[in-house]
Amino acid sequence: MLIRMEAARCKALWDALRADEDSEENPDGSFTVDLFDTEPPISMELYPDKNGYEITALLTLKYSDELEGWYVADKRKDKADMEAAAAALESKFL
């Protein structure tokens, strides 16, 4: 899902993601971002676009005491879930 955003806001978002420990810039220019403060916690993959960014993957996360870490619980593809994830991302980083 393409999220439209002005170039200046995009630059600010990419800079903030590069500085955050729960975000990783991948070799292909995409970002993998974990948001643990949302309910449920989510992980997403974002690709920069000249008109904003595209969410190409959205996953819910759960914590396992047994594994002592987070794991993927569910894939999300619903438009409303994508829009909520984009709002959470922008709220945290912009």
Side-chain angles (χ1 to χ4, degrees):
M1 166 180 232
L2 179 63
I3 307 298
R4 297 195 179 276
M5 183 182 288
E6 296 174 2
R9 284 179 55 90
C10 283
K11 183 182 179 335
L13 179 61
W14 307 142
D15 290 345
L17 291 176
R18 286 182 183 110
D20 190 85
E21 66 181 18
D22 292 327
S23 174
E24 179 179 348
E25 186 172 12
N26 302 309
D28 65 357
S30 67
F31 288 85
T32 302
V33 184
D34 297 327
L35 297 176
F36 298 106
D37 296 336
T38 61
E39 185 53 49
I42 58 174
S43 182
M44 65 176 82
E45 182 178 67
L46 313 172
Y47 277 87
D49 180 272
K50 66 180 180 180
N51 297 313
Y53 61 92
E54 187 168 356
I55 300 175
T56 56
L58 178 60
L59 311 165
T60 58
L61 303 173
K62 286 195 178 179
Y63 187 82
S64 168
D65 290 327
E66 184 178 306
L67 298 174
E68 296 180 359
W70 294 91
Y71 68 94
V72 173
D74 190 19
K75 293 181 183 180
R76 299 290 175 107
K77 294 185 180 184
D78 184 72
K79 182 179 177 180
D81 290 338
M82 296 275 189
E83 289 171 345
L89 177 79
E90 293 174 29
S91 175
K92 179 175 180 175
F93 291 104
L94 293 177

